[in-house]
């Protein structure tokens, strides 16, 4: 056994004796993987008269209040929880007109989801 492998084995044994475990995704109460929305990138806005006022909706409930985006903005989001299998809708506030639906996607796991309806283009990252 090479010295590198022996050192790695010793480190692994030492870490396990300290009660350290690898970091893994936590499960929700129903046993599915807990997911979080972590980032939103604006490639193109829907609104032609300024910034988009983006908010997120799941099952008719607003899960993220409005944040302004202009084309090119790439913003970290404060880890908003979302359950796998839920449908995420990206909305753009247009007071006093009706708000614009920029798309809806079923969240099946970690990844990047593209929302391109109504002339906009947003990427929502889920981890």
């Amino acid at each position: 056994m090479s010295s590198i492998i022996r050192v790695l084995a010793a480190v692994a044994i030492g870490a396990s004796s300290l009660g350290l475990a690898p970091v893994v995704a936590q499960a929700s109460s129903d046993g599915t993987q807990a997911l979080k929305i972590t980032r939103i990138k604006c490639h193109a806005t829907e609104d032609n008269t300024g910034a988009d006022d983006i908010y997120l909706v799941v099952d008719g409930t607003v899960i993220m209040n409005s944040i302004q985006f202009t084309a090119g903005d790439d913003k970290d989001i404060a880890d908003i929880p979302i359950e796998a299998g839920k449908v995420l809708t990206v909305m753009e506030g247009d007071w006093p007109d009706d708000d614009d639906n920029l798309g809806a996607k079923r969240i099946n796991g970690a990844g990047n989801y593209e929302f391109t309806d109504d002339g906009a283009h947003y990427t929502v990252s889920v981890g």
Side-chain angles (χ1 to χ4, degrees):
M1 185 166 22
S2 77
S3 60
I4 292 175
I5 293 173
R6 282 193 293 266
V7 168
L8 291 175
V11 168
I13 291 169
S16 66
S17 68
L18 292 174
L20 300 175
V23 176
V24 295
Q26 296 180 353
S28 63
S29 59
D30 66 357
T32 60
Q33 180 182 355
L35 298 169
K36 294 179 181 180
I37 298 167
T38 59
R39 179 177 223 84
I40 299 175
K41 177 162 179 62
C42 174
H43 305 278
T45 60
E46 181 279 332
D47 208 338
N48 294 327
T49 60
D52 281 351
D53 298 308
I54 297 300
Y55 64 98
L56 304 178
V57 176
V58 172
D59 292 339
T61 301
V62 174
I63 63 167
M64 183 192 84
N65 291 323
S66 179
I67 297 175
Q68 286 195 334
F69 283 86
T70 58
D73 284 351
D74 190 359
K75 298 182 181 184
D76 290 328
I77 303 301
D79 293 334
I80 298 169
I82 186 167
E83 291 180 43
K86 294 289 186 175
V87 175
L88 173 67
T89 303
V90 175
M91 299 292 296
E92 199 274 320
D94 265 346
W95 186 88
D97 299 330
D98 291 338
D99 292 352
D100 298 308
N101 183 329
L102 304 184
K105 303 282 181 179
R106 184 167 308 280
I107 304 302
N108 294 316
N112 294 320
Y113 294 83
E114 304 294 322
F115 296 83
T116 57
D117 291 356
D118 210 8
H121 184 186
Y122 284 84
T123 302
V124 176
S125 298
V126 176

